[in-house]
Amino acid sequence: MARWFPDGMPQPMADAEALPWWEAASEHELTVQRCSDCGHMRLPPAPVCGECQSFDLHLTEVSGRGEVYTYTIVNRPIAMDQQVPFIVAVIALDGAPGVRMISNLVEIAPEDVTIGLAVEVAWEDMSDDLAIPRFKPAGG
Ligand SMILES: [Zn+2]
């Protein structure tokens, strides 16, 4: 059953593969899924490795730093009380080759965002058991 944030946006719903990822996130640990057999890393978590079909997968913590791979600026609210503009970005995570994570950029004006901008995770605690990783300029 969907739960909703005050601004009208739906809260994330974890399936069996994603639940451990969200549990780590609630402790402010940003993780990626890594294959124990071939080392391939991915997000979001999946039941089987896309490279070697292994089921032996685990989560490994990353630094939370990375860079903006690409982004877009949303100027129309998706939910009723959502503040605009906001920035949706694809983040290339340090220490996780090939892994790109979709999130939001915060603490930066839309006109200041650039491709390649160094960013770091900025946890937003939504409740006792839900933290969402957004990203802000590194060292800012
Ligand atoms: Zn593999």
Side-chain angles (χ1 to χ4, degrees), residues 50-136:
E51 293 297 309
C52 74
Q53 289 73 52
S54 172
F55 290 94
D56 190 3
L57 307 167
H58 63 277
L59 293 176
T60 185
E61 189 172 4
V62 292
S63 68
R65 287 185 281 279
E67 66 177 44
V68 175
Y69 178 77
T70 191
Y71 68 98
T72 190
I73 298 165
V74 180
N75 289 294
R76 293 173 189 252
I78 297 168
M80 189 166 41
D81 297 324
Q82 197 170 33
Q83 298 296 308
V84 290
F86 64 91
I87 307 160
V88 176
V90 177
I91 308 299
L93 293 173
D94 289 355
V99 176
R100 294 178 183 141
M101 178 178 173
I102 298 172
S103 183
N104 299 114
L105 296 183
V106 296
E107 300 181 32
I108 187 170
E111 60 269 24
D112 293 335
V113 180
T114 57
I115 303 291
L117 177 72
V119 293
E120 62 189 17
V121 70
W123 292 101
E124 184 174 355
D125 290 309
M126 309 304 290
S127 67
D128 287 343
D129 61 352
L130 177 62
I132 295 186
R134 307 197 198 277
F135 287 82
K136 65 182 180 182

Side-chain angles (χ1 to χ4, degrees), residues 35-40 49-54 57:
C35 175
S36 300
D37 288 325
C38 78
H40 180 70
C49 177
E51 293 297 309
C52 74
Q53 289 73 52
S54 172
L57 307 167

Side-chain angles (χ1 to χ4, degrees), residues 16-32:
E17 280 74 40
L19 185 59
W21 189 92
W22 284 107
E23 289 173 344
S26 74
E27 302 295 323
H28 293 187
E29 295 174 7
L30 187 64
T31 60
V32 299

